[in-house]
Amino acid sequence: MTADRRTVLRTAAKLAALSASAGLLTSCGSGTPRRAEPGAALAAHPGSVDPQHTTDPAWKGGEGPDSPAPATPAPTATAVPTAAQPSTPPTPPVLAPLAAGTPYEVVHGPRTGKNVALTCHGSGDPTLATALLEAAERRGAKLTVMAVGSWLDQQPQMARRILDAGHELGNHTQNHLDISAMTPDQARAEIAQCADRLKALTGSIGRWFRPSAAQYATSMVTQQARAVGYEHVLSFDVDPRDYTDPTAAELQRRVLGAVRGGSVVALHMGHQCTIDALPAILDGLAKAGLKPVTASQLCA
């Protein structure tokens, strides 16, 4: 066989191999486009709370601008990033059963007990979120993180980071909008989209749902949360407003001045003041004989 003929045959073989591999890549990378979900163009109402639900006349309950939604939210039909999809189905967390008589909407736990729940709204810089988790873990404290679905889309690794350290994870809507002002279909979409993210990342939608931009769930929101599969709404009775970025000393004063047995405290990830204040808050709780536990442990 001549050198020219050998060259031609080798070239033809390479072309055939490249064609075959290109076909394989196209097949592995193809997917079915997802249908646009409802509620993708809702207006944002950050920080709004029904005044009748304020627990302290000086402090408005609910949430501040720590994770403000854009005026026109990005479409919420985006699938969870490929990096978030586990190679094998995730194992759902095992949760202790709640005590008989636990109300559908939990504002606080038993007042006769010495447990309190430190809850954190999951959003913001993942570096700050991780630092807050580490600050709690150094003291043996467990947090309950109410995650925003769009945050999980951007930071899918945080879901397992939270659960693997023994903390608890719940649903705080997909886009952190004023859920009380939505139509029932829009509200259900906000809850369901975040539930989908949690399910894909952890194998469970989580036990708890917390409405966004509100301290308490309206009857409409309650109905939609039940329809998605949530047996409990997690509210709170202590709102130290860490989203306003007070000094660490002021934040410590606000928490320790209001907390008591059974309290559910609303904190926020993504704020340096919360990280700085947490060690002193935990010291103050210990001095008062109070123990920080997850929301499920508070109600068990």
Side-chain angles (χ1 to χ4, degrees):
M1 182 181 295
T2 65
D4 287 344
R5 179 165 176 73
R6 284 196 299 270
T7 299
V8 170
L9 290 175
R10 283 197 298 268
T11 300
K14 289 179 180 179
L15 288 173
L18 286 172
S19 297
S21 62
L24 179 59
L25 289 173
T26 301
S27 175
C28 290
S30 62
T32 302
R34 292 185 60 179
R35 177 175 60 84
E37 298 175 14
L42 300 172
H45 302 275
S48 62
V49 175
D50 186 343
Q52 70 177 344
H53 292 146
T54 304
T55 57
D56 186 325
W59 298 350
K60 286 209 172 184
E63 304 171 42
D66 63 305
S67 54
T72 303
T76 55
T78 304
V80 180
T82 302
Q85 302 289 2
S87 56
T88 57
T91 302
V94 178
L95 299 174
L98 302 185
T102 297
Y104 178 76
E105 181 163 19
V106 174
V107 179
H108 59 78
R111 291 301 192 190
T112 55
K114 291 296 186 179
N115 289 338
V116 298
L118 300 180
T119 68
C120 301
H121 297 183
S123 61
D125 184 344
T127 302
L128 295 178
T130 300
L132 185 64
L133 293 172
E134 291 174 346
E137 290 156 9
R138 282 193 290 271
R139 303 299 185 92
K142 302 303 181 186
L143 306 178
T144 299
V145 179
M146 306 304 297
V148 176
S150 58
W151 182 63
L152 292 178
D153 285 346
Q154 298 166 359
Q155 310 296 336
Q157 76 285 355
M158 291 303 301
R160 289 310 322 179
R161 168 65 182 84
I162 291 164
L163 291 180
D164 290 347
H167 306 289
E168 194 168 9
L169 192 60
N171 182 327
H172 196 34
T173 76
Q174 178 63 20
N175 293 298
H176 200 271
L177 306 175
D178 183 359
I179 195 168
S180 302
M182 297 179 188
T183 67
D185 286 346
Q186 290 169 339
R188 185 183 301 191
E190 276 291 300
I191 301 168
Q193 288 159 19
C194 184
D196 289 344
R197 272 59 173 178
L198 290 168
K199 181 76 171 180
L201 292 169
T202 71
S204 168
I205 67 171
R207 168 173 279 161
W208 305 102
F209 165 72
R210 174 173 286 173
S212 51
Q215 182 174 0
Y216 303 102
T218 65
S219 58
M220 179 275 290
V221 172
T222 294
Q223 291 171 4
Q224 303 315 311
R226 286 184 184 274
V228 173
Y230 286 98
E231 297 180 358
H232 294 280
V233 170
L234 182 63
S235 183
F236 48 89
D237 65 315
V238 178
D239 177 16
R241 299 179 301 155
D242 58 339
Y243 54 78
T244 63
D245 294 313
T247 64
E250 174 61 15
L251 180 55
Q252 173 193 354
R253 184 192 67 79
R254 292 178 184 180
V255 172
L256 297 180
V259 72
R260 56 194 177 113
S263 282
V264 178
V265 183
L267 298 171
H268 294 73
M269 289 179 157
H271 293 264
Q272 185 63 47
C273 66
T274 311
I275 301 168
D276 295 340
L278 188 61
I281 290 172
L282 295 175
D283 286 343
L285 293 176
K287 186 176 180 180
L290 300 174
K291 179 181 179 181
V293 298
T294 66
S296 287
Q297 291 170 332
L298 181 70
C299 298

